[in-house]
Amino acid sequence: MSNTLLITGTDTEAGKTVITTVIAAYRQKYYPQSSLGIMKPIQSGVGDRELYQHLFTLDQSPEETTPLYFQAPLAPPIAAAKENRTIDLALVWQTLLKLQKRHDFLLVESLGGLGSPITYELTVADLAGEWRLPTVLVVPVRLGAISQAVANVALARQTKIDLRGIILNCTQPCTEEEITDLTPPDLIRSFTHIPVLGCLPYLEASTNLEQLAQVGSNLDWEILF
């Protein structure tokens, strides 16, 4: 799984999609000789798959980008039940292996947060640990972020996730003082013992790949790549 990176978050709307587009844009700009794949294993409702297909030229079909697609924007087990379907994790696993073989680097964006349910028995954290996916945790800059970071890192350790780092993300415009007050990197590192790779500024639905790549250049990639 060394060529794969899972992007997950502390909760829904943490900024996983933004981080995924930033990393993808950075990889394409600074590693142009390296083939890139993007995967959203399970999607409920319209959103990320459509964005990735629009932004990036990917050597993969929409079905490979998102093997399991449900109409209702709900937790997968609930969305699947509404369509009288089941969560076929074998299909997700087979697609993941196929994309890993085809690409030099594969980004996998999880649904929700580490504790989000995939089935009635398994969470994102369970799969990340069982499938041994190197992982980055996105922590939004907001009140309560420190406790969320600590709790999610504890869950990652419990499920034996290879957690490579934390990325802070401004989900709304933030000053440097607000970032320091709400998500002090040193305090988060002290409690979690996980490196903080940097903080992304607020990006309002950016589709400018040059801008996304430039923002990505401010993160500490040596730990990841």
Side-chain angles (χ1 to χ4, degrees):
M1 297 293 182
S2 59
N3 70 331
T4 304
L5 184 66
L6 175 70
I7 311 299
T8 189
T10 53
D11 56 17
T12 304
E13 305 300 330
K16 300 182 304 296
T17 303
V18 172
I19 301 299
T20 303
T21 57
V22 164
I23 297 176
Y26 178 87
R27 289 285 307 193
Q28 286 198 336
K29 180 176 176 63
Y30 295 103
Y31 299 83
Q33 74 285 356
S34 174
S35 64
L36 173 71
I38 303 178
M39 187 181 184
K40 174 87 175 186
I42 305 173
Q43 181 170 313
S44 299
V46 176
D48 299 328
R49 179 176 76 175
E50 292 76 12
L51 175 65
Y52 298 142
Q53 294 287 329
H54 171 71
L55 275 183
F56 303 102
T57 302
L58 301 173
D59 178 24
Q60 58 193 77
S61 67
E63 292 72 27
E64 288 175 319
T65 302
T66 304
L68 292 181
Y69 194 106
F70 302 103
Q71 296 299 320
L74 300 168
I78 299 172
K82 286 184 175 294
E83 299 179 26
N84 295 314
R85 296 168 58 192
T86 58
I87 306 294
D88 186 357
L89 291 179
L91 174 62
V92 176
W93 174 250
Q94 291 161 6
T95 305
L96 176 69
L97 294 179
K98 185 190 304 182
L99 291 176
Q100 284 177 328
K101 292 177 181 178
R102 186 185 305 166
H103 299 292
D104 297 317
F105 187 70
L106 177 63
L107 282 170
V108 181
E109 184 198 347
S110 81
L111 57 97
L114 275 179
S116 295
I118 292 178
T119 68
Y120 283 103
E121 295 82 25
L122 298 172
T123 65
V124 170
D126 292 319
L127 279 197
E130 289 180 14
W131 291 1
R132 299 182 181 179
L133 297 173
T135 300
V136 165
L137 178 68
V138 181
V139 177
V141 178
R142 62 173 70 134
L143 189 63
I146 299 172
S147 64
Q148 285 192 326
V150 171
N152 275 266
V153 170
L155 177 58
R157 289 203 170 95
Q158 177 184 322
T159 49
K160 297 180 171 55
I161 293 175
D162 178 12
L163 188 57
R164 299 289 179 85
I166 290 170
I167 297 178
L168 306 177
N169 178 53
C170 295
T171 55
Q172 58 187 8
C174 298
T175 64
E176 288 297 325
E177 182 179 11
E178 288 172 326
I179 294 170
T180 301
D181 288 344
L182 297 172
T183 52
D186 288 344
L187 190 58
I188 291 175
R189 274 191 295 264
S190 174
F191 275 111
T192 64
H193 304 288
I194 297 294
V196 177
L197 307 178
C199 181
L200 260 62
Y202 175 65
L203 296 171
E204 186 176 7
S206 177
T207 58
N208 185 322
L209 294 181
E210 186 66 31
Q211 179 194 28
L212 292 170
Q214 183 59 44
V215 168
S217 65
N218 294 322
L219 298 175
D220 185 357
W221 297 115
E222 288 188 12
I223 296 173
L224 296 180
F225 306 148

